[in-house]
Amino acid sequence: MRKKTVYSTCAATAFLFVLGGASLITSGTALSNRSLIPAPILEIDPQATASTGEVRALVIVTDFADTSYESNRLSDETMQNYLFGSGKSDCYPCENLTYYFDRASYGALHMTGDVYHYTASGNIADYESSEYGYELLVQEVLSGLNDTIDYTQYDGNHDGYIDALCLSVPTGGNADFWYGCTATWYMTDLTDTDGMKLYHYVISDEQPYDDTMSYYLSTLTHEYGHCMGLPDYYRYKTTDGWQATTGAGGIERMDEAEGDFCSLSKLLLGWYSSSEIQTFNLEGKESQTFTLSDNSLSGSCLLLLKESSDGYFSEYFLVDYLTPSANYDGLFTDGGVRIYHVDLDRAIDEWNTPYLKYDNFSPDYDSSGTGKRLIRLANENGDFYSAGATIDASVSGFHWYDESGKETVSSGYTISVDSISDGKCKLTVTLAK
């Protein structure tokens, strides 16, 4: 849930789309037999963990020579069951990783995995004292388990990289060092890993006890979102250190590690088919009608682009309709229409690597929260819009950014929520010409 460490020097791969249109080039058939768009996040993070198909996760519960878990630490077998087996029912809708990601991706991503244990040879402070302490620990753990684990079994897409590695560590060390994060392997070559490489990996400081597994599971789903290339959506560098998006509409897995992945996350991860992404036709009639399905149950979203759009990596409004179902079960009362103001403008760093210009790690990040942000709700109070609502220039967050990063430029769009019934939402969108 807290900030990830990012050390990326990878070059971008090509991403294909039809500018401003609803029809995008598809990437083939996933587990759900839906023809999905290519994951746009690979434009930014080309070596990210696969977001579709079979993903094999490896979780290693690690302790140290002088720092161990308490005696009631869950056994490896129980953790295996909680993470990849029948799950922990009282943690629903995040009862385990397999079911959670199946629902989030509409069947496009199927995560399985295994749990192992390892005791490091050094004291916990030995790793904290090194700038590369994470890598020293990971190298030792993977080498130490090489005779036990066939690491090639954790490469679901056969790209030569371990899909998703998590090292869980006990409390007792420097909490500022062992915070939950996703790191990127970048300094040394791995050895004793059956020829497999490592890119993103997770360090988890959530504790594997029966009464803390809800936090463990929710944090790990968030961190695996980072492994798949997604950034944090909450604000960094605030008075309290960080600030989540407020309101029921702001609940999101890459925000405060609750609920489901929002429509932007699902789009970036390639969990939609082209027919599930509707787009206002800027060359069409001034008024167009759309029907959105419940995005918590099936893929459905609407893009409102600018005339100068650069496709997904630009500024736009992203609209979805939600009910408290599936991964949002019990988190709010009725749901409704949610509108995100998105700005995925890109920049190139000194290593010629693309990055999201308004990511929280970007030099253009505005910690005040008043300037351009990668994603924010168009409705300031964080509530959903219900049937009968009209969203237009009177809504302060429903504007494009001006040159100084303030939301002052009229979008020209007006959205009327015509009706909500039987898991469908009908919208009429009008654009002033």
Side-chain angles (χ1 to χ4, degrees):
M1 180 174 178
R2 287 151 288 175
K3 75 174 184 178
K4 59 177 180 174
T5 54
V6 178
Y7 313 100
S8 177
T9 58
C10 301
T13 55
F15 170 61
L16 304 175
F17 57 88
V18 178
L19 182 62
S23 178
L24 292 98
I25 298 172
T26 58
S27 62
T29 303
L31 296 180
S32 58
N33 292 319
R34 293 157 56 233
S35 187
L36 304 175
I37 66 168
I41 197 62
L42 296 178
E43 171 78 0
I44 302 297
D45 197 356
Q47 286 184 282
T49 298
S51 55
T52 60
E54 298 274 0
V55 168
R56 292 279 294 161
L58 178 59
V59 176
I60 303 176
V61 182
T62 307
D63 47 23
F64 303 88
D66 66 340
T67 307
S68 300
Y69 296 94
E70 297 176 9
S71 59
N72 61 333
R73 196 268 285 183
L74 294 175
S75 69
D76 298 347
E77 293 76 16
T78 301
M79 285 192 66
Q80 173 93 22
N81 186 50
Y82 282 174
L83 294 178
F84 308 109
S86 62
K88 196 172 191 298
S89 59
D90 59 351
C91 295
Y92 183 84
C94 192
E95 74 275 38
N96 72 9
L97 299 177
T98 305
Y99 297 164
Y100 177 86
F101 280 110
D102 277 349
R103 288 192 296 267
S105 66
Y106 317 118
L109 171 63
H110 185 65
M111 180 177 288
T112 58
D114 296 296
V115 176
Y116 291 89
H117 172 260
Y118 185 83
T119 299
S121 61
N123 294 334
I124 195 168
D126 296 338
Y127 305 92
E128 298 169 353
S129 62
S130 171
E131 180 183 356
Y132 310 114
Y134 286 178
E135 293 199 2
L136 292 174
L137 179 63
V138 170
Q139 174 67 80
E140 179 186 338
V141 170
L142 294 182
S143 294
L145 290 173
N146 186 44
D147 290 339
T148 303
I149 301 174
D150 178 1
Y151 294 111
T152 65
Q153 298 303 303
Y154 299 92
D155 179 18
N157 63 347
H158 307 293
D159 65 351
Y161 286 82
I162 296 173
D163 287 343
L165 172 68
C166 171
L167 261 60
S168 291
V169 296
T171 56
N174 180 356
D176 290 334
F177 185 85
W178 301 106
Y179 66 90
C181 65
T182 298
T184 303
W185 191 271
Y186 77 114
M187 279 302 298
T188 59
D189 292 330
L190 276 174
T191 57
D192 303 320
T193 54
D194 303 314
M196 301 301 297
K197 300 177 183 178
L198 188 63
Y199 187 55
H200 291 319
Y201 61 96
V202 175
I203 299 293
S204 176
D205 63 343
E206 299 294 355
Q207 299 302 290
Y209 303 104
D210 195 71
D211 61 350
T212 57
M213 280 307 292
S214 177
Y215 296 103
Y216 193 100
L217 286 160
S218 65
T219 299
L220 197 48
T221 51
H222 174 98
E223 297 302 336
Y224 281 157
H226 286 319
C227 288
M228 292 185 286
L230 295 178
D232 284 318
Y233 293 161
Y234 58 82
R235 288 174 53 201
Y236 289 3
K237 301 177 182 178
T238 64
T239 302
D240 298 327
W242 64 279
Q243 181 180 343
T245 305
T246 59
I251 297 173
E252 208 278 340
R253 186 55 51 175
M254 298 311 297
D255 200 303
E256 71 274 62
E258 283 192 279
D260 202 355
F261 291 88
C262 72
S263 48
L264 178 62
S265 298
K266 292 172 188 278
L267 188 154
L268 290 175
L269 295 175
W271 290 347
Y272 289 136
S273 68
S274 58
S275 63
E276 293 166 344
I277 305 170
Q278 301 180 71
T279 306
F280 188 95
N281 183 1
L282 293 169
E283 304 301 323
K285 298 178 180 178
E286 293 181 8
S287 183
Q288 298 166 37
T289 299
F290 303 88
T291 299
L292 294 177
S293 300
D294 183 352
N295 195 54
S296 62
L297 298 174
S298 60
S300 182
C301 67
L302 169 64
L303 271 72
L304 305 180
L305 299 163
K306 297 177 72 172
E307 291 187 4
S308 58
S309 173
D310 187 22
Y312 297 144
F313 291 101
S314 61
E315 183 183 2
Y316 49 88
F317 293 103
L318 186 55
V319 185
D320 59 18
Y321 161 63
L322 299 175
T323 67
S325 304
N327 288 341
Y328 283 115
D329 184 77
L331 293 179
F332 43 82
T333 304
D334 297 315
V337 173
R338 178 172 62 180
I339 304 173
Y340 278 116
H341 185 185
V342 174
D343 195 329
L344 295 189
D345 219 0
R346 289 168 294 182
I348 302 295
D349 67 17
E350 61 209 270
W351 297 285
N352 201 35
T353 302
Y355 65 93
L356 296 173
K357 194 172 182 180
Y358 304 111
D359 182 295
N360 291 355
F361 279 107
S362 166
D364 295 288
Y365 172 66
D366 181 358
S367 61
S368 73
T370 61
K372 290 186 178 183
R373 290 187 60 192
L374 189 148
I375 181 172
R376 68 198 318 156
L377 284 173
N379 42 335
E380 293 178 343
N381 61 9
D383 291 338
F384 293 101
Y385 291 107
S386 303
T390 298
I391 304 95
D392 54 21
S394 65
V395 177
S396 59
F398 195 54
H399 293 72
W400 304 124
Y401 292 116
D402 61 26
E403 292 183 357
S404 63
K406 308 302 181 184
E407 293 177 302
T408 65
V409 180
S410 174
S411 69
Y413 286 107
T414 297
I415 301 175
S416 298
V417 184
D418 300 329
S419 63
I420 296 177
S421 62
D422 299 325
K424 302 285 185 181
C425 176
K426 184 177 180 181
L427 301 169
T428 297
V429 181
T430 303
L431 178 62
K433 297 292 187 178

